[in-house]
Amino acid sequence: MKYVLAIDQGTTSTRAIVFDKRGQEVASAQQEFGQIYPRPAWVEHSPQDILGSALAVTIEAIVRAGATARDIAAIGITNQRETTLVWDKVTGKPVYNAIVWQCRRTADFCEKLKKDGFAEKIYNKTGLVPDAYFSATKIKWILDNVGGARERAERGELAFGTVDTFLLWQLSRGKIFATDYTNASRTMLFNIHKLKWDAELLRLFDIPSSMLPEVYPSSHNYGCTDAGLFGAEVPICGVVGDQQAALYGQLCVSAGDVKNTYGTGCFLLMNTGDKAVKSCNGLVTTLGATAGGKPCYVLEGSVFVGGAAVQWLRDELKIISSAAESEKIALSVKDNGGVYLVPAFTGLGAPYWDSSARGVITGITRGTTRAHIVRATLEGIAYEVCDLVRAMEKDAEIKISKLAVDGGASKNKFLMQFQSDILNCSVIRPKVSETTALGAAYLAGLKAGYWQNEEEIRLNVRIDGEFNPTMQDDERRELLDGWASAVNKTLA
């Protein structure tokens, strides 16, 4: 077998990437698909678009690699998490569109759960806070609002799955009904301590247990694709949620290892090993991927606005022409000129959790230029990540010495150096930027025997950039004090 293939099913597009033994990309294909907005704050996807794009890019990537299905040792699937589908167990036909993780239609119900005192119980079992983000309330909405769905579910006729489960079912033509620990842990129905679906939570959300898939480790032989799809059966040996896939792709496999993905927002994950750390700072506790049978635990925090702040400079303020230009402009001034930008465009997440907060620029004087504002925007992203890191350090009682990074904004050298300076730790950027797909490929390849162990795949690691702190302690303290002051104005 020559290759391992990863299907990376994301929120706006689906990609397939063929990797070789060195963890290098041999060929890839990508296909975007539409977003459906039935009402304000509602977001859906067409299940046919999800499946059609996955099939199309898989075939295209194999062809581009000059390979056939028989050259693929295994497939790994990684996916947008929490997005919810319900379908008929006989026909495989969905009863409704996929309800996307971003959808807020069940927000009022989640607020009621909090008011009724269920938040602590849900957190103690699942590591999650009651929020429309997660799958449970989406399933309940479909059962309550789609004609006949609840009756069919109670008769055992309907299946629920996150995107990975839907793809497993469709790629195997109904032979595989399963998910992995990482995706199950994002449903708000899975007890992360007992590693099983929770009967009490199923009663709370009024969801029949017959709808739920079997749950396995991320690195597991799930079965094979139907031979008619790609010309031969291909084993599916890896399934993992996208952020946990990136954590594994960065080989953050030991307690205390941390990665941050700089995308539209930022996702910071810390491997806490076999210890489920309870957060006192508004982080969530979830399950991570391992190559063994038992999952690890993970602390996770999100920055709502990361790279989106740079897009705002480009598209709304129009003071830069491209995201790449921000680096050069930021370096054109020696410092921020006392200017701070808190990108709380949609509120502030952990550790502040103020949904009413809005963006603020402070410290503007007659001498403030567009370069100061651009620089302050990039610095604001790094400060937000720093706040999350410090919260994680407190919760886990682990001092972070290095941060693995990926995502589009990690290409910005100014941002990465400032991140290193303000955190006072090393920032490591790998040469292979597709760490999410790579994580899924590694998990699948290890199970299939394509790679023998983690030591072998660690030899594949190539560093694209390493940033080490050069800032003096006094300057760091002064900058962090200025940031804290700016955040207080935002909260006020």
Side-chain angles (χ1 to χ4, degrees):
M1 296 294 182
K2 296 178 182 178
Y3 307 118
V4 170
L5 184 141
I7 299 172
D8 182 357
Q9 203 298 302
T11 308
T12 59
S13 69
T14 307
R15 286 178 298 178
I17 303 179
V18 177
F19 291 99
D20 64 14
K21 280 266 191 179
R22 297 172 301 157
Q24 299 294 306
E25 180 181 315
V26 176
S28 67
Q30 181 169 357
Q31 183 174 309
E32 294 185 359
F33 54 86
Q35 309 294 301
I36 302 168
Y37 305 103
R39 297 183 191 177
W42 289 29
V43 191
E44 299 175 0
H45 289 157
S46 161
Q48 289 74 23
D49 286 351
I50 291 173
L51 176 60
S53 62
L55 291 171
V57 296
T58 299
I59 293 168
E60 186 177 349
I62 292 172
V63 170
R64 285 185 174 182
T68 70
R70 291 181 175 82
D71 295 317
I72 307 300
I75 289 175
I77 296 173
T78 183
N79 55 286
Q80 53 168 315
R81 303 176 302 174
E82 299 95 20
T83 293
T84 298
L85 298 104
V86 175
W87 64 92
D88 186 285
K89 286 183 177 178
V90 175
T91 66
K93 184 179 179 181
V95 303
Y96 191 77
N97 277 339
I99 301 180
V100 180
W101 59 272
Q102 299 161 316
C103 187
R104 304 303 297 172
R105 75 185 66 192
T106 60
D108 289 344
F109 180 70
C110 291
E111 288 305 312
K112 185 177 185 301
L113 287 173
K114 294 176 187 175
K115 288 177 183 176
D116 291 347
F118 288 107
E120 186 175 3
K121 182 184 290 290
I122 289 170
Y123 179 81
N124 287 339
K125 288 173 177 285
T126 70
L128 308 175
V129 295
D131 196 274
Y133 188 45
F134 305 111
S135 309
T137 59
K138 296 174 169 57
I139 306 169
K140 177 176 170 56
W141 187 93
I142 290 174
L143 296 183
D144 290 343
N145 291 275
V146 175
R150 180 164 293 285
E151 292 75 18
R152 293 172 68 191
E154 288 172 353
R155 291 197 299 266
E157 296 172 7
L158 298 185
F160 149 72
T162 42
V163 169
D164 58 302
T165 301
F166 179 68
L167 289 178
L168 284 170
W169 179 285
Q170 300 294 344
L171 293 176
S172 68
R173 298 210 190 276
K175 292 190 176 101
I176 306 172
F177 185 37
T179 188
D180 85 305
Y181 288 129
T182 68
N183 280 295
S185 71
R186 310 296 295 185
T187 61
M188 215 158 62
L189 296 171
F190 193 74
N191 191 311
I192 63 172
H193 309 288
K194 296 181 179 179
L195 300 182
K196 65 180 184 179
W197 299 113
D198 191 273
E200 187 177 9
L201 292 178
L202 289 173
R203 287 193 296 272
L204 175 63
F205 293 103
D206 199 13
I207 296 169
S209 60
S210 61
M211 295 182 70
L212 303 176
E214 294 293 323
V215 187
Y216 298 107
S218 299
S219 187
H220 176 80
N221 191 345
Y222 286 84
C224 292
T225 64
D226 185 85
L229 291 178
F230 308 123
E233 289 187 346
V234 184
I236 303 173
C237 295
V239 172
V240 58
D242 54 7
Q243 296 307 321
Q244 290 99 326
L247 188 71
Y248 196 85
Q250 291 271 22
L251 292 181
C252 294
V253 296
S254 301
D257 288 348
V258 185
K259 76 90 192 173
N260 188 56
T261 298
Y262 296 82
T264 303
C266 295
F267 289 91
L268 186 74
L269 276 71
M270 173 191 278
N271 184 329
T272 60
D274 58 5
K275 180 182 178 185
V277 175
K278 187 171 183 177
S279 176
C280 299
N281 294 282
L283 306 175
V284 300
T285 307
T286 194
L287 294 176
T290 66
K294 191 176 180 182
C296 63
Y297 288 95
V298 171
L299 270 178
E300 178 174 334
S302 303
V303 169
F304 296 156
V305 177
V310 180
Q311 294 171 335
W312 173 73
L313 294 179
R314 182 193 65 197
D315 299 337
E316 276 71 44
L317 292 193
K318 300 187 186 303
I319 61 175
I320 60 173
S321 59
S322 68
E325 187 187 15
S326 63
E327 178 183 325
K328 181 180 178 181
I329 294 173
L331 288 168
S332 70
V333 288
K334 65 177 183 177
D335 54 38
N336 64 13
V339 177
Y340 290 84
L341 187 145
V342 184
F345 301 154
T346 56
L348 284 173
Y352 305 104
W353 290 112
D354 186 346
S355 60
S356 64
R358 289 298 177 263
V360 163
I361 304 176
T362 68
I364 297 174
T365 67
R366 182 63 183 81
T368 298
T369 68
R370 73 164 182 147
H372 291 115
I373 293 174
V374 170
R375 182 172 179 133
T377 303
L378 293 174
E379 290 181 352
I381 298 169
Y383 286 128
E384 288 186 301
V385 173
C386 182
D387 287 340
L388 277 182
V389 169
R390 298 297 175 240
M392 280 191 177
E393 288 179 329
K394 288 178 185 176
D395 284 337
E397 298 180 344
I398 295 173
K399 180 66 178 173
I400 293 169
S401 60
K402 65 179 180 179
L403 177 69
V405 300
D406 52 58
S410 70
K411 299 296 184 187
N412 189 304
K413 292 179 182 177
F414 169 80
L415 174 57
M416 293 300 97
Q417 183 58 53
F418 188 77
Q419 189 73 82
S420 172
D421 284 333
I422 212 67
L423 280 175
N424 196 25
C425 78
S426 297
V427 170
I428 312 295
R429 183 178 66 203
K431 202 166 190 67
V432 176
S433 60
E434 301 294 347
T435 54
T436 301
L438 187 60
Y442 280 156
L443 289 161
L446 284 166
K447 187 63 183 179
Y450 183 74
W451 291 289
Q452 295 305 307
N453 49 46
E454 288 176 350
E455 287 68 33
E456 182 182 352
I457 60 178
R458 196 172 290 280
L459 297 174
N460 292 336
V461 175
R462 301 288 184 273
I463 301 301
D464 182 53
E466 180 170 347
F467 304 85
N468 294 298
T470 59
M471 186 179 287
Q472 297 298 311
D473 290 343
D474 289 347
E475 182 182 359
R476 184 181 302 108
R477 278 194 295 270
E478 184 178 345
L479 287 170
L480 287 169
D481 286 345
W483 170 252
S485 177
V487 169
N488 285 335
K489 291 179 174 67
T490 306
L491 299 172

